[in-house]
Structures are given as C-alpha cells and as structure tokens.
C-alpha cells in the first residue's frame, strides 16, 4: 500500500515554530530523546538522595546506643571499632585473602549455574513439549532451599570445593532458568509474525527477534542468579569451610570478636552492592539500542 504523504502547508520555506500542527517535525524525536534522558537523570538523582537518610539514621542510632550504653559493647561494638577492625583487616591483607577465595568460588559456581540455567530455560521457552515434561520437576527442585541439599551433597561429594560449587550453581541456576524461559515466552507475537512474513529461517528468528526481545528478562535472571550465588556462598562457608569470608564470620563469632564479625558482614554487603551495580551498568550497555522510556 502506497503511503500517503502529508502535504506541506507552508510553501514559503522550511518549517517554523508557527507551522501547522499536522506538518511533520523532524526535530521532535531528538527532543523527546533528550527530554527522556533529562527526566531519567533527575529521577536517578532524586532516588539516590532518598536512599541516604535511612542508613544514616541507622548509623546514628547505632552510635547513640554505643555512647549511652543501650547495648553492651561485647554484643554490639561501636561503629568506630568496627571500621577500625575493617581497616586493619584490609591493611594486613587477611580480608583480601578471604575475599579472593570467596570470589573464585562464587564465579566458578555461578558459571556452572549460568550455563545450565540458560540451556534449561532456553529449551523450556522454545519447546512447549519439553517444558511440559521438565517444568514440574524443575519447579519441585527449585522449591528446596540451598541448605536442604547440603546433607545429600556432603554424602555424595564430601566437604571439599565441589560441594561449594554445586550449591552455588543451584542457587544461580533457578532464577536464570525461570527468567530465560519467561523472557522467551513473552516475546510479542507481532514480532514473530513480521519475521515470518519476511521469510526468516529459524536461526534468523532466534538471532534477530527472540533473543534481542528477551535480553532484558534474561539479564534480570543473570543479576538475580549472581546475587543468589553470592548469598549462597556466604551460607555455605558459614557451615562447611576453613577459609573465605563466611569462615571469617564464623571465626569471629567463635572467639566472640563481634567487631570482626561485623567487619566481615560489612565486606559482604559492599562486595554484593558493587557486583549488582556492575551488572546494572552492563545491562544499560547491552540494552543501549532501546529508546529511552520504552
């Protein structure tokens, strides 16, 4: 069908601010993009400011409890003592050593869970028959927490590194597989129909339509999977480890050094926050082709 052009109502020259509203505005998309970016920047700045009052209030309450003796220092050390121990652990290299061991474990286990989750979620999303057979068993598997598999895996693989890798992989696999499956299933039908009209092969359909449309939910699954893997790592090291950041927490508790425990917990929170922010930046780069506001 031939597209009907809108006749120019201002024959004297290019469009001016007084142009009839039905006449095309070439600069309008750029204006909208700029406005959307400005609005997003202000929204991000506002959310960042609103995120500070609550943690600062908690820190102030913590300091007041130490000054006025609401809680004994043996139970809740003052913030200055915790930050001092945190700096000492960093300076001595002890904290870096435990973090390095923990990071190797979490990325090894996460790599296994990510690979299996993408394969399993992709298969369930692309094949309804496969999903009908596998999804009920997978759902039951996902309902069992990581700790629930600990006794069984100890009997099978012992308490060495393989145990930690498998438990971390299980924690990462579930959100990656679920988000991958849902992302592929929720690809708009109109995109698939247009691709069929153009005669796309199955591989072209996957590469140019399905996977780009499902990138955002898949990446959300990756973010959740890495977060769950980091949390599972700490839990596993609390129960079965002689080194790592989780072991440092247990070691401080056994010696009743609560400042060491809180310093290790602070390190866990900082590392988890940094990982999540790096994944958010990576997501923005992967989805940079999307228009702002969509």
């Amino acid at each position: 069908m031939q597209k009907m052009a809108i006749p120019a109502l201002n024959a004297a020259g290019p469009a001016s601010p007084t142009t009839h509203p039905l006449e095309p505005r070439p600069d309008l998309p750029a204006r909208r993009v700029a406005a959307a970016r400005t609005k997003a920047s202000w929204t991000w700045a506002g959310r960042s400011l609103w995120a500070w009052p609550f943690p600062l209030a908690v820190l102030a309450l913590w300091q007041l409890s130490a000054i006025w003796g609401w809680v004994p220092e043996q139970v809740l050390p003052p913030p200055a003592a915790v930050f001092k121990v945190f700096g000492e652990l960093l300076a001595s290299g002890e904290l870096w050593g435990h973090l390095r061991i923990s990071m190797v474990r979490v990325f090894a286990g996460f790599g296994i869970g990510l690979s299996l989750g993408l394969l399993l979620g992709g298969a369930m999303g692309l094949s309804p028959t496969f999903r009908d057979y596998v999804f009920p068993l997978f759902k039951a598997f996902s309902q069992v927490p990581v700790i629930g598999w600990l006794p069984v895996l100890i009997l099978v693989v012992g308490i060495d590194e393989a145990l930690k890798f498998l438990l971390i992989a299980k924690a990462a696999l579930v959100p990656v597989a679920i988000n991958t499956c849902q992302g592929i299933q929720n690809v708009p039908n109109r995109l698939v129909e247009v691709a069929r009209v153009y005669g796309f092969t199955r591989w072209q359909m996957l590469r140019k339509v399905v996977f780009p449309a499902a990138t955002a939910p898949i990446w959300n699954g990756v973010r959740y999977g890495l977060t769950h893997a980091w949390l599972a790592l700490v839990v596993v090291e609390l129960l079965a480890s002689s080194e790592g950041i989780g072991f440092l927490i247990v070691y401080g508790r056994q010696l009743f050094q609560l400042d060491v425990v809180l310093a290790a917990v602070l390190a866990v929170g900082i590392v988890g926050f940094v990982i999540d922010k790096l994944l958010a930046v990576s997501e923005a780069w992967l989805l940079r082709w999307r228009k702002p506001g969509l």
Side-chain angles (χ1 to χ4, degrees):
M1 181 184 295
Q2 186 176 2
K3 184 183 291 186
M4 182 178 296
I6 300 177
L9 299 179
N10 186 2
S16 63
T18 58
T19 303
H20 193 278
L22 292 180
E23 188 171 353
R25 291 281 303 278
D27 62 328
L28 194 55
R31 277 181 159 186
R32 287 179 177 172
V33 170
R37 287 177 178 172
T38 304
K39 182 179 179 181
S41 300
W42 280 107
T43 303
W44 178 85
R47 289 178 178 174
S48 300
L49 290 176
W50 279 109
W52 282 102
F54 182 72
L56 291 177
V58 172
L59 184 62
L61 186 62
W62 182 10
Q63 180 64 35
L64 289 176
S65 68
I67 294 175
W68 291 340
W70 294 342
V71 182
E73 291 188 6
Q74 293 80 5
V75 177
L76 183 63
V82 175
F83 293 140
K84 180 182 178 181
V85 171
F86 184 80
E88 291 174 352
L89 290 173
L90 284 177
S92 65
E94 183 178 359
L95 184 60
W96 291 116
H98 287 296
L99 281 176
R100 179 182 59 80
I101 294 170
S102 296
M103 296 301 290
V104 170
R105 288 171 176 167
V106 74
F107 281 113
F110 174 72
I112 298 172
L114 176 65
S115 303
L116 295 177
L118 290 175
L119 290 174
L120 183 60
M124 289 191 297
L126 294 173
S127 174
T129 303
F130 181 82
R131 182 172 63 252
D132 292 339
Y133 281 107
V134 174
F135 188 77
L137 179 62
F138 172 77
K139 191 67 175 178
F141 169 80
S142 65
Q143 297 301 317
V144 181
V146 173
I147 300 301
W149 295 100
L150 185 61
V152 177
L153 290 178
I154 288 178
L155 294 176
V156 176
V157 300
I159 59 172
D160 293 331
E161 295 299 303
L163 171 68
K164 303 171 182 63
F165 293 161
L166 290 176
L167 290 175
I168 294 169
K170 187 271 176 187
L173 181 148
V174 174
V176 172
I178 290 177
N179 281 269
T180 301
C181 177
Q182 292 180 348
I184 293 175
Q185 284 184 305
N186 293 333
V187 173
N189 290 329
R190 63 181 183 275
L191 299 180
V192 178
E193 291 173 358
V194 170
R196 287 173 178 169
V197 169
Y198 278 95
F200 280 17
T201 63
R202 183 173 179 81
W203 171 242
Q204 288 176 325
M205 182 85 71
L206 294 175
R207 185 170 59 90
K208 296 184 178 181
V209 178
V210 175
F211 290 148
T215 300
I218 291 175
W219 193 255
N220 284 335
V222 173
R223 290 181 64 178
Y224 288 133
L226 187 52
T227 301
H228 290 186
W230 179 245
L231 297 177
L233 164 80
V234 177
V235 173
V236 171
E237 288 182 343
L238 285 172
L239 298 176
S241 181
S242 59
E243 52 188 355
I245 195 67
F247 166 75
L248 185 60
I249 296 175
V250 175
Y251 179 76
R253 180 187 60 81
Q254 290 174 346
L255 298 180
F256 212 71
Q257 296 177 344
L258 275 301
D259 49 0
V260 174
V261 173
L262 293 177
V265 171
L266 179 63
V268 170
I270 292 174
V271 172
F273 179 80
V274 170
I275 289 175
D276 185 71
K277 288 301 178 183
L278 290 176
L279 289 175
V281 172
S282 302
E283 180 181 5
W285 181 82
L286 283 174
L287 300 178
R288 65 190 184 279
W289 51 271
R290 287 193 169 189
K291 294 182 180 180
L294 294 181

